[in-house]
Amino acid sequence: MTVTPTNGSDHPTPSVDRVKAGAFVEQLKASYQSTMLTMMIDLGHRSGALAAMRGAGPINAVALAASSGQSVRHLQEWLSAMAVAGVVDFDADSQTFTLPEEHAMWLTGAVATNLAPMAGMLMGLAQRTDDVVAAFDQGTGVPYERYRPHFTHAMDEIGRAKYDEMLVSMYLPKSSGLPERLRSGIDVADFGCGTGHCLNLMAEAFPESRFTGYDISVDALHLAEFEAKTMGLSNVSFVTADVATLANDPRFDVAFAFDAIHDQADPAGVLSIIRSSLRPGGELFMVDIKASSYLADNLKDPMNLMLYGISVMHCMEVSLAVGGAGLGTAWGTQLATSMLHDAGFDEVTVHDIERDPSNCIYVCR
């Protein structure tokens, strides 16, 4: 049914489809409920309450507090919220809560399937809302420094288990012959290495190769160096540098970039520098977001709201803050491939990742 309401003036408001309006308000309610659930998952993850519930069977707040050392009153209220959300099961007779294994497998453990760290990343981005509102008004961006160190740690936690499980065994073989070259001993760089975990994993797996990581974040590189020392690695080093200003020095056989290019102020310039850093026969192994460069294609998957939202709250902002291109998270495979060709890579092959559908791999030679 379509009606034509008034808005208190002499001019009627546009006609409204009540069914469509009703469906949208329900969508909004569900969205706000999901936002609150994100907060509750973050609390449960960071406090350890979710981990303490896994395998504990039916448990009440008192027993959970005894095992976790936390406040009974806070746990009771948190458990109630999680029960309403359907994350934990509540038994009214025994007044106990259970975290089903079918839910626990997605919310606990140092494994790639643990999605709870994503809640922490989103909560951290929410803290920058005032900055992003100001950027809307001023047409600027939000400097990367405003996101540190929280975003650095959140991204490290999100990616760590995934790369532990899949980098050497699933990612690297996408480039034919790359694992063999790494085993024989080559020079490798990671541009925008962050906390350096991927580089440290490869340095451990391929002791004959030599690895250098570059990043602008001093606090991230401190974590990278500490981990390398803890792992007893002598074939990896880290350099504090803006990758856009590195010299055109062809001294690497393979370059890596893990979810780093689309954040750059000058992504085209960085890709050209990476190309210039490679010796003849060298390659770039780039992992980045899997999306289309065309909005119409991305409308097909509601999960792409995450891509555009994270772009608005972070990826686009940190680039625009320094007068950059502001490519955004969903720059897409079409634009990425075109830019890689423009940077001088004659051969660009895009690979899907079976257990990581949010990303794809570009092998560029």
Side-chain angles (χ1 to χ4, degrees), residues 257-268:
F258 294 93
D259 281 322
I261 299 301
H262 66 263
D263 289 339
Q264 300 297 318
D266 181 15

Side-chain angles (χ1 to χ4, degrees), residues 37 40-41 44 50 77-88 107:
L37 177 56
M40 296 300 102
I41 289 174
L50 280 168
E77 206 74 355
W78 174 78
L79 285 165
S80 299
M82 296 295 267
V84 172
V87 177
V88 302
L107 294 172

Side-chain angles (χ1 to χ4, degrees), residues 53-106:
M53 289 192 74
R54 185 170 192 176
I59 194 170
N60 59 26
V62 174
L64 184 57
S67 65
S68 68
Q70 295 164 342
S71 159
V72 173
R73 183 67 189 95
H74 285 84
L75 287 172
Q76 180 66 45
E77 206 74 355
W78 174 78
L79 285 165
S80 299
M82 296 295 267
V84 172
V87 177
V88 302
D89 297 332
F90 175 64
D91 182 81
D93 294 332
S94 63
Q95 294 289 297
T96 57
F97 303 85
T98 303
L99 177 62
E101 182 58 28
E102 294 82 359
H103 297 181
M105 64 182 287
W106 301 107

Side-chain angles (χ1 to χ4, degrees), residues 250-262:
R251 63 191 189 92
F252 297 109
D253 301 294
V254 177
F256 286 88
F258 294 93
D259 281 322
I261 299 301
H262 66 263

Side-chain angles (χ1 to χ4, degrees), residues 40-277:
M40 296 300 102
I41 289 174
D42 185 39
L43 281 173
H45 174 63
R46 292 166 58 189
S47 68
L50 280 168
M53 289 192 74
R54 185 170 192 176
I59 194 170
N60 59 26
V62 174
L64 184 57
S67 65
S68 68
Q70 295 164 342
S71 159
V72 173
R73 183 67 189 95
H74 285 84
L75 287 172
Q76 180 66 45
E77 206 74 355
W78 174 78
L79 285 165
S80 299
M82 296 295 267
V84 172
V87 177
V88 302
D89 297 332
F90 175 64
D91 182 81
D93 294 332
S94 63
Q95 294 289 297
T96 57
F97 303 85
T98 303
L99 177 62
E101 182 58 28
E102 294 82 359
H103 297 181
M105 64 182 287
W106 301 107
L107 294 172
T108 61
V111 291
T113 53
N114 184 358
L115 300 179
M118 179 64 74
M121 188 269 282
L122 295 175
M123 293 305 301
L125 292 182
Q127 295 175 22
R128 301 273 67 81
T129 300
D130 287 347
D131 295 323
V132 175
V133 170
F136 267 57
D137 292 337
Q138 299 162 11
T140 57
V142 181
Y144 182 56
E145 290 73 19
R146 296 288 292 157
Y147 295 91
R148 292 162 55 185
H150 180 276
F151 191 80
T152 300
H153 293 295
M155 291 305 295
D156 177 77
E157 185 177 15
I158 289 171
R160 181 167 288 264
K162 174 179 70 176
Y163 288 124
D164 284 345
E165 294 178 21
M166 295 185 278
L167 177 58
V168 174
S169 63
M170 294 184 63
Y171 281 59
L172 298 184
K174 293 292 185 182
S175 174
S176 178
L178 179 56
E180 291 75 18
R181 295 177 67 196
L182 289 166
R183 274 192 284 272
S184 67
I186 56 176
D187 293 304
V188 178
D190 185 350
F191 290 82
C193 67
T195 58
H197 187 57
C198 288
L199 212 59
N200 286 332
L201 287 175
M202 289 188 288
E204 181 179 50
F206 305 103
E208 297 302 317
S209 287
R210 299 156 297 279
F211 299 86
T212 304
Y214 298 98
D215 202 277
I216 199 170
S217 174
V218 175
D219 48 315
L221 293 184
H222 284 164
L223 294 174
E225 291 168 344
F226 177 79
E227 182 180 61
K229 183 178 180 180
T230 301
M231 295 170 68
L233 302 174
S234 59
N235 59 334
V236 61
S237 61
F238 298 95
V239 180
T240 304
D242 182 347
V243 295
T245 64
L246 294 176
N248 297 329
D249 182 8
R251 63 191 189 92
F252 297 109
D253 301 294
V254 177
F256 286 88
F258 294 93
D259 281 322
I261 299 301
H262 66 263
D263 289 339
Q264 300 297 318
D266 181 15
V270 171
L271 290 175
S272 294
I273 287 174
I274 292 174
R275 172 66 183 84
S276 299
S277 76

